[in-house]
Amino acid sequence: MIMPNALYIALIPLLPLAAFVILGLFGTKYFSRSAGIIATLLLTVSTVLAFYAAYSYFFEYGKVDGAYTKVVVFKYAWLQFSGNLSIDMGAIMDPSTAMMLVVVTFISLMVHIYSLSYLKDEKRFATYYAFLGLFTFSMLGLVLSSNIFQLYIFWELVGVSSFLLIGFYYDKPSAVAACKKAFIVTRFADLGFLIGILVLSYYAGSLDFITIIEKLATPESEEVHAAMTASFLGLTALSWGVALVFIGIAGKSAMFPLHIWLPDAMEGPTPVSALIHAATMVVAGVFLIARLYHVFSMSQPILHFIGYIGAFSALFAAVIACTQTDIKRVLAYSTMSQIGFMMLALGISGADGNKHDLGFTGGMFHLFTHAMFKALLFLGAGSVIHYIHSNEIKDMGGLRKYLPVTHITFLIACLAIAGIPPFAGFFSKEAILMAAYEKNKIIFYSALATSGLTAFYMFRLYFNIFWNKEPHLHSEHRGEGGFAMLLPLIVLAAAACTTGFIPFGHFVSADGKQVSTELHWTFSIAPVVLALAGIFIAMSFYKTANNKAERLAASMNGFYQSAYHKFYIDEICLFFTNKVMFGIIGKSAAWFDKNVVDGMVNTTGNGTAAFSEKVKAFQSGKVQQYAIYFLVGVIGLAVIFIYLWK
Amino acid sequence: MLMSIELILNSVNLNFIAFNKYVWPNRLDGVFFSIFIIAIAAAEAAVAIAIIINLYRSHQSIDVDQTEEMKY
Amino acid sequence: MSGSIIVFYLLALLTLVSAVFAVTSRQIFRSAIYLLFSLIGIAGIYFWMQYDFIAVVQIIVYVGGITVLIIFSIFLTQQAGELLPKQKMGRQVFAAMAVFCSFALVMLQVFKNKFIPATGEVVQPNISAIGEKMLATTEGGYALPFELVSILLLAALIGCIVIAMRSASFLTETDKK
């Protein structure tokens, strides 16, 4: 159905786009001081509209026959290829979309406000806000897309914005390398995504989400039959389609082994990390799985595979995070770990054919709460970095006296991520663990272990920053940071406390019907106890300065060293890139280009020049030679016309 | 060289007249062509003489092999 | 072998031999005289064909006008006594071959073609007929080409004057330097 009066939904992404255009074109000249205010104001309007849109969807028109369905808000035909194949542009409303609209605009607004103070000494202030506007526009467009090709366009745009923002400090070579790496890895993954789009839309006959889901998700439809019978290397075509799409998702959401760009992406400004690499862009992949969930669930092997990849990435990242010393890197691996949770939740959902279960809801709920507390963690880390002028843990310590607001909010966020009731993370992790327990015991135990490690490393970070020892302080003390920096921290902390109580199952679930998310107290005792144990271990290691941690690390030395070096994945990738790609493929391509292609062009040029040297002699300036040519020509023409012309 | 041109034109004239007399005696076209060709040849010879005189003034000789200034 | 045929062959011989000597002679004045004889031979052929008007026009314009013009120019450029350079052997061979080829081509065509004389009454090429036709504006009349040729002659006249005049001003300029 098409909602007639819903053009305000189009304004939601267009306002940040306007911010991008205005600030991008005129910002540095005219608005260099007021750029932040302008962008924030536009985004506030956008946020209000997004909240209204979500409210209106969930409570007014979204519910049809007791289930939330996808509602097409508007569409118009953009490219018409043939009679029944056309690419339309349009927007679609759906529980996941409504939720993401709220998340993206709200977190973006927090980041905008925070950056007013964090980056106020920055010369390229207007450019920064322009890029933020571009990113917000792309992300909102992505979640509103009604067909998969439009989503792909916005997917790439999000990648571009991320590239621009990671490389914002372009005079730092590490930042430049990081943004290149991010873009190249995600672009490489997007190749798989594109092929997956082509496969799926070929079998479904259309690029529209609603049509794809209709055609490919009902087991009786003939398209599914065609897709299932065509097979290649043992996997059906449908499985290949979703597997290729998953490659794109793994790249964007930093799943193993395409996660290498995420830690390096911390070279960007901290509010950027909060927005992009914690709350929004990296969850675009999770969002896409949710969008295409019914198609994914037609291919059980792939769905299982997604579950295992998610669980493995979560554990892998948690282990590495225990050893890192850069505060932002710890948070980056923590993000990877939590996204792994979301992925595994979606992966195990519907594993036994029952779609009306907790996995999907749990995954999406975790996305929502994670955005809140991860953004809070990053912004808090930004506040600490702003105060200490360093990212390393060893420069920090004992800051609870100097940064009180940051301290309390950071503590709330750590409790939330560790899964302690009554904070938000408890409820969402609960849902995931319960779903995992019912479906797949291996994944359950690994998720349980990961949540224990999560509590441990987060509190390791917390105690190292705010307790432990006395910090190195610079001579000028600027205090904790302005009101603009503290307000988002407080708001997000409030969100982290309260969002756990939203009855998420009422709103978001796999098939639109309500899923009950009541708590089973007996079940949740085990994870909470494990988390508390992690906290106490961290407290004993790090609350006061001692060397228990070093002794433990020394005893597991080999494992510790490889975890510290991120299991050498970066080195492997670099080796592959340099030796194989540059050495073999790059060199031979360069040889070909220089000798064959250039050679052809040069030969043509040289040949023409040599030929013209010979022909020059015809123009000798001697009249009698010209007369001879004349005669020869006449004879020739006479012969032709008399004898050869038919 | 000028003389060669005159010879050529004369030969053409002869051809026209001959054809006129023996193949098409009912028309006078050949005659007229010849008259016009004579007239035009005369004009062209006059112009050629003027050019030769001009050439002589700049090159001090009328040998066309020496006038190579339009060479590449 | 009637007398007229003999006369024709004699005239033709005169014309051709003079022409060959005209282009191969090494003294330019002799070349001009050979040209003169060649033109007279052609006029003779015209007389033999009984096209008096054309013959007379030929003598007046060609022999009396153009040949005199050529001789004047030879004298003006003071080349009368010098020898023209002997041509390179390559050139001579090439020229001979070109002549031969063209000759062969033309002869081939002449012998292959069947010349069909047209029927109809014979028009005598006397002066009154020629004059009538030249100024006639009906079909077969030559009034328009006549006018055009007069314009052409005017252009040639002016062109010669301009060329000659420019050389004069050029000369005075070089004198001043």
Side-chain angles (χ1 to χ4, degrees):
Chain A
M1 349 164 226
I2 302 190
M3 283 299 299
N5 202 4
L7 286 182
Y8 67 88
I9 296 187
L11 270 184
I12 300 179
L14 288 178
L15 286 173
L17 178 67
F20 166 64
V21 170
I22 295 175
L23 292 176
L25 288 176
F26 307 114
T28 37
K29 244 178 97 170
Y30 302 115
F31 297 125
S32 56
R33 284 298 107 207
S34 56
I37 305 286
I38 295 177
T40 311
L41 281 176
L42 284 170
L43 194 64
T44 314
V45 177
S46 211
T47 310
V48 168
L49 286 175
F51 272 85
Y52 176 67
Y55 170 78
S56 151
Y57 177 77
F58 282 124
F59 293 108
E60 289 177 9
Y61 62 84
K63 214 167 184 153
V64 174
D65 300 327
Y68 283 107
T69 54
K70 297 189 179 1
V71 173
V72 176
V73 174
F74 58 85
K75 76 183 208 175
Y76 72 98
W78 178 47
L79 288 179
Q80 192 83 25
F81 285 121
S82 66
N84 43 9
L85 180 61
S86 76
I87 300 183
D88 303 329
M89 286 285 154
I92 210 177
M93 276 300 268
D94 158 310
S96 334
T97 308
M99 181 194 84
M100 286 297 290
L101 279 179
V102 168
V103 167
V104 172
T105 48
F106 182 64
I107 303 277
S108 185
L109 183 62
M110 292 297 118
V111 166
H112 273 74
I113 298 178
Y114 186 87
S115 311
L116 283 174
S117 172
Y118 191 78
L119 284 174
K120 71 174 177 335
D121 295 326
E122 172 65 44
K123 251 186 339 188
R124 295 163 57 213
F125 195 58
T127 319
Y128 173 79
Y129 274 98
F131 290 158
L132 276 186
L134 177 68
F135 173 78
T136 314
F137 160 68
S138 322
M139 195 68 205
L140 290 168
L142 196 155
V143 304
L144 280 171
S145 296
S146 71
N147 74 41
I148 201 169
F149 190 70
Q150 183 181 350
L151 188 137
Y152 182 72
I153 295 176
F154 281 110
W155 186 274
E156 294 297 329
L157 264 178
V158 168
V160 166
S161 319
S162 164
F163 168 83
L164 288 170
L165 282 165
I166 297 175
F168 186 68
Y169 298 125
Y170 53 72
D171 39 7
K172 271 203 310 180
S174 55
V176 170
C179 68
K180 267 195 308 191
K181 189 176 187 180
F183 196 67
I184 290 176
V185 171
T186 49
R187 193 74 196 85
F188 173 68
D190 290 343
L191 179 65
F193 186 25
L194 186 62
I195 302 179
I197 291 180
L198 293 174
V199 169
L200 285 178
S201 58
Y202 174 73
Y203 279 106
S206 148
L207 288 164
D208 224 27
F209 273 124
I210 295 187
T211 321
I212 290 182
I213 293 179
E214 250 173 44
K215 297 247 171 89
L216 288 180
T218 47
E220 307 84 40
S221 74
E222 53 183 64
E223 282 84 5
V224 171
H225 187 70
M228 293 285 225
T229 46
S231 77
F232 177 68
L233 290 183
L235 274 181
T236 65
L238 189 63
S239 296
W240 272 106
V242 294
L244 288 165
V245 171
F246 180 65
I247 292 181
I249 291 174
K252 187 70 92 189
S253 295
M255 290 288 105
F256 182 84
L258 292 168
H259 64 279
I260 48 179
W261 62 274
L262 189 57
D264 290 352
M266 298 296 123
E267 295 286 337
T270 311
V272 164
S273 304
L275 179 61
I276 300 186
H277 307 125
T280 42
M281 185 175 100
V282 289
V283 301
V286 181
F287 171 74
L288 185 60
I289 296 187
R291 207 10 107 59
L292 281 176
Y293 178 68
H294 295 279
V295 181
F296 270 92
S297 64
M298 291 297 288
S299 168
Q300 285 303 325
I302 298 296
L303 211 55
H304 278 148
F305 180 65
I306 293 180
Y308 283 113
I309 290 272
F312 179 72
S313 305
L315 193 55
F316 180 79
V319 169
I320 296 183
C322 291
T323 64
Q324 296 297 310
T325 57
D326 179 337
I327 183 175
K328 285 176 76 172
R329 296 251 176 336
V330 173
L331 292 176
Y333 282 107
S334 157
T335 304
M336 183 181 161
S337 180
Q338 299 302 310
I339 298 176
F341 263 98
M342 298 176 217
M343 288 279 179
L344 78 89
L346 286 173
I348 58 176
S349 167
D352 54 0
N354 174 19
K355 289 210 194 129
H356 185 80
D357 68 358
L358 214 44
F360 185 89
T361 309
M364 299 307 278
F365 193 23
H366 198 62
L367 198 158
F368 188 74
T369 56
H370 171 260
M372 304 293 157
F373 53 69
K374 191 45 72 63
L376 177 55
L377 280 171
F378 268 104
L379 293 182
S383 169
V384 169
I385 295 173
H386 185 73
Y387 191 72
I388 295 285
H389 298 287
S390 154
N391 284 10
E392 293 288 326
I393 291 187
K394 58 183 188 306
D395 296 333
M396 307 174 188
L399 287 174
R400 67 189 183 285
K401 298 191 280 286
Y402 302 99
L403 303 172
V405 176
T406 311
H407 173 226
I408 301 290
T409 53
F410 202 87
L411 180 60
I412 293 178
C414 283
L415 287 170
I417 199 174
I420 307 289
F423 297 104
F426 166 68
F427 294 94
S428 55
K429 257 197 207 172
E430 233 2 82
I432 295 180
L433 287 172
M434 198 138 61
Y437 183 74
E438 284 171 22
K439 296 292 171 69
N440 189 328
K441 292 290 195 300
I442 304 179
I443 290 189
F444 170 69
Y445 284 113
S446 116
L448 197 58
T450 310
S451 58
L453 278 175
T454 306
F456 171 68
Y457 68 71
M458 283 313 297
F459 274 90
R460 164 181 178 260
L461 191 65
Y462 166 73
F463 283 117
N464 263 319
I465 297 177
F466 293 105
W467 296 80
N468 210 335
K469 55 186 192 300
E470 290 305 306
H472 298 169
L473 287 174
H474 286 234
S475 50
E476 8 96 50
H477 284 239
R478 283 184 292 168
E480 196 165 358
F483 174 69
M485 267 168 71
L486 297 180
L487 176 66
L489 293 176
I490 300 175
V491 172
L492 283 171
C497 293
T498 56
T499 47
F501 294 102
I502 297 179
F504 219 70
H506 282 239
F507 300 116
V508 178
S509 70
D511 50 3
K513 298 199 181 53
Q514 182 174 335
V515 170
S516 69
T517 50
E518 74 265 6
L519 291 171
H520 299 267
W521 288 105
T522 47
F523 177 77
S524 44
I525 288 184
V528 172
V529 165
L530 197 59
L532 285 172
I535 296 178
F536 279 119
I537 298 177
M539 197 180 325
S540 76
F541 276 15
Y542 298 108
K543 184 163 178 208
T544 52
N546 54 25
N547 63 351
K548 281 194 207 163
E550 283 84 13
R551 278 188 286 144
L552 183 61
S555 68
M556 306 195 326
N557 196 24
F559 188 70
Y560 179 79
Q561 281 302 323
S562 53
Y564 183 69
H565 288 112
K566 303 165 232 148
F567 293 108
Y568 301 110
I569 301 271
D570 274 327
E571 282 77 5
I572 297 175
C573 281
L574 214 56
F575 170 77
F576 182 68
T577 320
N578 278 345
K579 287 284 161 27
V580 176
M581 283 186 22
F582 289 165
I584 299 178
I585 302 177
K587 279 220 178 70
S588 53
W591 178 90
F592 184 75
D593 181 50
K594 229 191 321 207
N595 292 357
V596 176
V597 176
D598 275 356
M600 274 191 338
V601 174
N602 284 349
T603 311
T604 320
N606 288 344
T608 313
F611 182 66
S612 73
E613 286 284 325
K614 301 275 168 39
V615 176
K616 260 200 289 197
F618 280 151
Q619 195 179 10
S620 61
K622 300 197 175 113
V623 181
Q624 289 173 320
Q625 268 199 355
Y626 294 162
I628 298 254
Y629 300 143
F630 193 70
L631 178 68
V632 169
V634 166
I635 294 180
L637 281 175
V639 167
I640 289 175
F641 279 119
I642 297 174
Y643 290 113
L644 302 178
W645 190 266
K646 287 292 177 283
Chain B
M1 215 176 60
L2 191 57
M3 302 187 235
S4 316
I5 293 180
E6 299 305 328
L7 284 173
I8 291 172
L9 289 167
N10 267 294
S11 65
V12 166
N13 260 343
L14 194 54
N15 235 346
F16 270 118
I17 302 289
F19 277 129
N20 194 5
K21 180 175 167 74
Y22 291 113
V23 184
W24 282 293
N26 58 337
R27 299 164 65 97
L28 284 176
D29 295 331
V31 174
F32 282 112
F33 258 93
S34 306
I35 292 180
F36 290 134
I37 288 177
I38 291 178
I40 291 171
E44 168 251 326
V47 175
I49 296 291
I51 292 177
I52 288 179
I53 292 188
N54 208 352
L55 204 64
Y56 176 71
R57 284 180 201 231
S58 53
H59 289 271
Q60 308 306 317
S61 104
I62 55 172
D63 185 3
V64 291
D65 275 342
Q66 292 183 348
T67 60
E68 288 184 326
E69 277 141 345
M70 297 270 277
K71 201 172 162 170
Y72 63 83
Chain C
M1 196 60 104
S2 64
S4 76
I5 305 255
I6 295 179
V7 168
F8 171 70
Y9 277 120
L10 277 178
L11 284 170
L13 195 67
L14 168 69
T15 309
L16 285 173
V17 167
S18 304
V20 170
F21 277 133
V23 294
T24 57
S25 162
R26 291 187 67 190
Q27 287 166 315
I28 200 162
F29 191 62
R30 293 205 183 168
S31 200
I33 299 299
Y34 285 130
L35 181 70
L36 179 75
F37 280 129
S38 182
L39 294 173
I40 291 178
I42 292 200
I45 294 180
Y46 287 152
F47 271 124
W48 177 84
M49 283 202 292
Q50 294 171 345
Y51 274 52
D52 320 327
F53 180 64
I54 299 295
V56 170
V57 166
Q58 164 96 352
I59 290 183
I60 292 177
V61 172
Y62 262 115
V63 177
I66 289 180
T67 315
V68 171
L69 202 59
I70 289 177
I71 291 177
F72 262 125
S73 75
I74 291 175
F75 281 149
L76 273 177
T77 57
Q78 295 170 352
Q79 295 273 333
E82 297 160 20
L83 274 179
L84 289 174
K86 189 163 163 43
Q87 296 298 324
K88 294 194 294 237
M89 186 51 77
R91 274 201 192 177
Q92 288 183 348
V93 169
F94 187 72
M97 266 186 38
V99 167
F100 181 68
C101 278
S102 331
F103 185 68
L105 190 68
V106 171
M107 277 296 130
L108 220 60
Q109 281 309 305
V110 164
F111 284 126
K112 255 175 60 167
N113 203 354
K114 302 178 190 33
F115 292 96
I116 307 169
T119 52
E121 57 163 294
V122 178
V123 176
Q124 287 300 325
N126 49 12
I127 297 195
S128 60
I130 289 179
E132 226 183 281
K133 265 298 183 183
M134 190 180 282
L135 296 176
T137 50
T138 58
E139 159 94 33
Y142 280 90
L144 184 60
F146 179 65
E147 298 299 331
L148 286 176
V149 168
S150 61
I151 293 179
L152 178 82
L153 288 172
L154 175 69
L157 188 67
I158 296 178
C160 290
I161 293 176
V162 166
I163 293 180
M165 205 170 64
R166 203 182 290 143
S167 62
S169 61
F170 172 69
L171 202 57
T172 48
E173 276 177 25
T174 53
D175 273 346
K176 280 178 201 155
K177 290 191 199 120

